[in-house]
Amino acid sequence: GESVGLHLPTLSVQEGDNSIINCAYSNSASDYFIWYKQESGKGPQFIIDIRSNMDKRQGQRVTVLLNKTVKHLSLQIAATQPGDSAVYFCAENPSGGYNKLIFGAGTRLAVHP
Amino acid sequence: GAGVSQSPSNKVTEKGKDVELRCDPISGHTALYWYRQSLGQGLEFLIYFQGNSAPDKSGLPSDRFSAERTGGSVSTLTIQRTQQEDSAVYLCASSLATGQLFFGSGTQLSVL
């Protein structure tokens, strides 16, 4: 069935280091992928997205890489800050049209001073 | 409003009782989604509204779950005869027709 999963459930990094969060997806028909950040007690917050016709997209301190050959998605956070501590979810849209997103289980990022 | 608003933020109920969860989407957003998030898990799609219609209800786990949307705005998710396994955070999101989803902070439902 359709699924989105993450390789690492917990990631601990030192402040100032770069973080890489990985995600595998199973539906080769998915054409849109999103990374969300969820802080405790809040709803998921959009970070960055990428369409299947791209393999890299950059935002402010974040980069998403898409490898369609191996169905792998990653989120890179440069110069990680304590405020980056949260749970990060990848999501895919396999259906096109409306955003019936399929979410992975999430990775907790812990940033230590 | 400025963002997606959900109420109540927390709801504790007894097994067998009915509950109603409310979502006020961002003004002008035609699409509205309900998701469920169990402890330590990702988000599980429940239902999608476009305007007042729900073309996709495929994620509703049982016939105890229903949702409606009125005036193309407010939506209510109703759970009848609640069970302990219904305990979760229920998240609502809205978007323009096919745009980015904006999530509310959710309703934490605890069924005792």
Side-chain angles (χ1 to χ4, degrees):
Chain A
E2 300 168 344
S3 66
V4 175
L6 295 171
H7 297 311
L8 299 173
T10 305
L11 178 65
S12 294
V13 299
Q14 293 295 123
E15 182 178 357
D17 287 352
N18 296 333
S19 302
I20 300 176
I21 301 172
N22 296 303
C23 175
Y25 65 94
S26 61
N27 192 327
S28 57
S30 293
D31 62 358
Y32 180 55
F33 304 88
I34 313 100
W35 281 100
Y36 284 92
K37 172 186 180 183
Q38 187 175 27
E39 296 174 287
S40 181
K42 298 183 180 180
Q45 178 184 8
F46 173 92
I47 301 173
I48 192 167
D49 59 3
I50 189 167
R51 297 215 172 262
S52 59
N53 60 352
M54 303 173 67
D55 54 19
K56 181 179 180 179
R57 191 166 187 216
Q58 289 185 293
Q60 186 176 15
R61 284 201 306 118
V62 295
T63 300
V64 56
L65 299 177
L66 175 63
N67 185 330
K68 294 181 288 293
T69 301
V70 294
K71 289 187 269 186
H72 184 267
L73 193 68
S74 68
L75 177 70
Q76 300 178 0
I77 304 174
T80 313
Q81 302 169 359
D84 295 327
S85 294
V87 177
Y88 290 80
F89 295 96
C90 63
E92 63 176 314
N93 184 352
S95 60
Y98 63 96
N99 284 327
K100 182 179 179 179
L101 300 178
I102 298 174
F103 285 79
T107 291
R108 180 172 299 281
L109 177 65
V111 183
H112 303 285
Chain B
V4 178
S5 177
Q6 292 188 245
S7 61
S9 55
N10 284 281
K11 176 71 176 178
V12 180
T13 190
E14 294 179 349
K15 177 181 174 181
K17 301 283 190 181
D18 297 351
V19 296
E20 287 189 351
L21 312 180
R22 177 187 169 103
C23 173
D24 280 276
I26 293 172
S27 179
H29 279 191
T30 57
L32 186 146
Y33 305 79
W34 284 98
Y35 283 82
R36 178 168 72 174
Q37 185 174 29
S38 300
L39 186 64
Q41 300 296 314
L43 281 69
E44 173 191 5
F45 170 84
L46 297 178
I47 187 169
Y48 155 69
F49 285 93
Q50 182 62 245
N52 292 335
S53 301
D56 190 343
K57 306 178 183 180
S58 63
L60 295 178
S62 75
D63 58 8
R64 295 187 296 105
F65 287 72
S66 62
E68 65 175 11
R69 188 179 186 195
T70 56
S73 180
V74 172
S75 177
T76 302
L77 177 68
T78 301
I79 308 173
Q80 296 179 308
R81 305 180 302 280
T82 52
Q83 303 295 313
Q84 289 184 332
E85 61 262 30
D86 299 335
S87 296
V89 176
Y90 289 82
L91 289 158
C92 175
S94 70
S95 73
L96 296 172
T98 57
Q100 179 192 142
L101 265 64
F102 292 84
F103 283 87
S105 294
T107 294
Q108 171 74 62
L109 175 66
S110 300
V111 182
L112 304 180

